[in-house]
């Protein structure tokens, strides 16, 4: 059976996305229809032209910087023979419905070497894709997340810091949360929680549970009772099953921490002698994991002024194919090494030391309270 003859020029024109072919000297060799349509050009305006000719007379135009970035990336590819994915570029183009009005646009670009049968680099392929809507979606999602999480603020007279890092593939929203609540007397409640899943659905559940626990903490006589109330409420919220939460009530009059956990990693208490105690004597199943609702455990430990309490979600300590005890030991070591730092600097140091480079693969929330 004879193989069908392939019209590669027709294939090139039909490829999805805006694609241009350049010589190694950065001269346009060919473009597909999507490329011309995206830039609003004709073939005669681009074929045979050097890449930077578009802005030769306008070096200060914002578009000129984008062209310089593309040019630098292409030269890197030409020199190395290795594809290069560029950072997102902002390049505003005229709105077809509003002549003379340039709209804010963002682009993803990749440059790839093309070799002939003898292994010689003959062309550079440049592909660009508009990602403006994705950027806007991230901005909306981040605004939603910020609206549902309390803004960092002083709690009573005691230094505290909070940090939140979404997973790299979750549009900046997640199901992790933190909360700090003023209580009567010289007391505060500090809590962290983790809803199963990622994205907007998890964030919506998170917002409901965080608000419910914040209210319950103000009325309950301790963290166990606050989690009992939260557990009852969670039964009516779709997607709240198996949420984990750690809640602590900190009392400076008695120098004590009362805590309760619904299946959550244990809070870490850094003592002034540099030792770390994990508060794990009052752990019950996650929300909704019991067949019948019932009372929850709580325990109380003393603290000395100058100690540090850290509450966190599992993204800070867990890594794939690794026992959780290794992550807890890593956290304890980092707390001890950065013991002298203030609350904010300590929170930043923990994130820097414990989160893997290249982006967070799981949501992470962190609360640091200097006692």
């Amino acid at each position: 059976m004879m193989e069908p003859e392939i019209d590669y020029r027709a294939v090139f024109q039909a490829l999805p996305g805006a694609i241009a072919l350049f010589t190694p000297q950065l001269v346009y060799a060919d473009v597909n229809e999507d490329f011309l349509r995206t830039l609003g050009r004709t073939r005669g305006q681009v074929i045979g032209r050097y890449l930077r000719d578009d802005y030769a007379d306008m070096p200060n135009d914002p578009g000129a910087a984008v062209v310089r970035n593309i040019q630098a990336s292409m030269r890197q590819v030409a020199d190395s023979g290795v594809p290069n994915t560029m950072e997102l570029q902002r390049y505003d183009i005229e709105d077809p419905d509003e002549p003379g009005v340039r709209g804010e646009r963002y682009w993803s670009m990749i440059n790839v070497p093309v070799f002939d049968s003898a292994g010689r680099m003959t062309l550079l392929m440049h592909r660009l894709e508009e990602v403006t809507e994705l950027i806007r979606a991230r901005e909306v999602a981040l605004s939603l997340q910020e609206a549902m999480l309390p803004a960092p603020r002083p709690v009573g007279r005691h230094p505290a810091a909070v940090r939140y890092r979404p997973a790299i593939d979750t549009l900046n929203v997640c199901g992790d949360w933190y909360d700090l609540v003023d209580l009567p007397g010289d007391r505060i409640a500090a809590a962290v929680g983790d809803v199963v899943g990622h994205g907007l659905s998890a964030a919506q559940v998170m917002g409901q549970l965080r608000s419910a626990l914040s209210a319950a903490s103000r009325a309950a006589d301790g963290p166990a009772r606050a989690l009992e109330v939260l557990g009852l409420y969670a039964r009516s919220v779709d997607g709240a099953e198996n949420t984990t939460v750690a809640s602590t009530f900190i009392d400076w009059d008695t120098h004590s921490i009362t805590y309760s956990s619904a299946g959550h990693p244990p809070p870490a208490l850094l003592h002034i002698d540099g030792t770390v105690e994990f508060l794990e004597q009052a752990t019950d199943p996650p929300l909704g994991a019991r067949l019948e609702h019932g009372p929850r455990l709580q325990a109380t430990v003393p603290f000395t002024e100058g100690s540090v309490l850290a509450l966190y979600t599992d993204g800070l300590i867990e890594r794939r194919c690794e026992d959780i005890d290794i992550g807890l030991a890593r956290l304890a070591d980092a707390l001890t090494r950065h013991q002298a730092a203030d609350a904010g600097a300590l929170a930043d140091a923990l994130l820097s030391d414990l989160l893997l480079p290249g982006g967070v693969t799981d949501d992470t929330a962190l609360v640091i309270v200097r006692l």
Side-chain angles (χ1 to χ4, degrees):
M1 181 177 178
M2 295 182 60
E3 293 184 359
E5 184 177 343
I6 299 176
D7 185 342
Y8 284 100
R9 181 167 183 79
V11 172
F12 174 67
Q13 291 299 326
L15 287 174
I19 298 175
L21 295 176
F22 290 85
T23 70
Q25 293 74 39
L26 307 190
V27 173
Y28 283 97
D30 201 356
V31 294
N32 70 355
E33 292 300 321
D34 273 355
F35 188 89
L36 295 175
R37 186 164 44 251
T38 298
L39 295 189
R41 308 287 177 82
T42 66
R43 291 181 62 81
Q45 291 174 317
V46 295
I47 301 301
R49 294 188 63 181
Y50 185 52
L51 176 61
R52 69 182 182 191
D53 282 354
D54 289 346
Y55 293 96
D57 299 324
M58 300 176 289
N60 296 322
D61 189 289
V66 176
V67 172
R68 287 193 292 269
N69 293 338
I70 298 172
Q71 188 178 32
S73 173
M74 285 189 170
R75 285 177 173 161
Q76 178 181 331
V77 174
D79 291 341
S80 67
V82 177
N84 178 256
T85 300
M86 299 175 59
E87 293 183 357
L88 289 183
Q89 302 290 311
R90 177 178 171 178
Y91 176 66
D92 300 344
I93 62 176
E94 186 173 296
D95 190 323
D97 298 324
E98 298 184 63
V101 177
R102 297 173 69 87
E104 183 177 306
R105 304 291 183 88
Y106 293 89
W107 307 86
S108 172
M109 303 182 185
I110 183 171
N111 297 306
V112 179
V114 179
F115 301 93
D116 63 14
S117 58
R120 296 182 298 252
M121 186 187 305
T122 57
L123 294 168
L124 300 172
M125 183 174 69
H126 172 72
R127 183 181 186 278
L128 68 128
E129 179 182 7
E130 185 175 359
V131 292
T132 305
E133 292 304 316
L134 177 61
I135 296 299
R136 289 173 179 165
R138 286 185 181 277
E139 291 172 348
V140 170
L142 185 57
S143 296
L144 171 64
Q145 187 80 27
E146 290 174 345
M148 290 190 294
L149 288 176
R153 66 189 190 282
V155 181
R157 61 181 180 84
H158 306 288
V162 295
R163 297 292 185 268
Y164 154 74
R165 294 291 184 272
I168 56 178
D169 59 350
T170 58
L171 288 180
N172 283 337
V173 293
C174 70
D176 288 21
W177 85 84
Y178 56 80
D179 201 14
L180 291 168
V181 178
D182 278 314
L183 299 176
D186 197 5
R187 300 186 303 148
I188 67 169
V192 291
D194 185 356
V195 173
V196 175
H198 302 289
L200 288 174
S201 59
Q204 290 167 351
V205 175
M206 174 274 289
Q208 296 179 73
L209 297 183
R210 188 204 68 79
S211 297
L213 180 59
S214 186
S217 297
R218 288 171 165 85
D221 58 3
R225 182 55 183 159
L227 290 184
E228 290 168 21
V229 173
L230 181 65
L232 284 172
Y233 175 70
R235 289 174 177 265
S236 67
V237 178
D238 291 338
E241 303 85 3
N242 293 313
T243 293
T244 67
V245 189
S247 176
T248 62
F249 280 32
I250 307 168
D251 190 331
W252 276 269
D253 290 333
T254 62
H255 282 80
S256 65
I257 302 169
T258 302
Y259 64 95
S260 183
S261 173
H264 200 82
L269 177 58
L270 172 63
H271 295 287
I272 58 175
D273 64 359
T275 60
V276 175
E277 177 183 1
F278 288 102
L279 309 186
E280 51 190 359
Q281 300 304 311
T283 300
D284 282 314
L287 303 182
R290 289 170 165 170
L291 293 178
E292 299 291 335
H293 181 73
R296 289 189 172 269
L297 297 173
Q298 73 178 29
T300 300
V301 295
F303 70 82
T304 303
E305 193 162 339
S307 301
V308 174
L309 179 67
L311 296 95
Y312 52 92
T313 55
D314 56 10
L316 186 70
I317 59 167
E318 290 187 354
R319 296 182 183 177
R320 291 177 182 176
C321 304
E322 181 181 87
D323 190 275
I324 190 174
D325 288 339
I326 298 176
L328 292 174
R330 194 162 43 237
L331 170 60
D333 177 67
L335 281 168
T336 300
R337 284 189 290 107
H338 300 289
Q339 182 173 11
D342 61 38
L346 178 55
D348 291 334
L350 293 182
L351 294 180
S352 177
D353 285 3
L354 302 181
L355 297 185
L356 291 171
V360 182
T361 57
D362 193 11
D363 314 325
T364 300
L366 173 65
V367 176
I368 297 291
V369 182
R370 276 221 161 262
L371 302 172

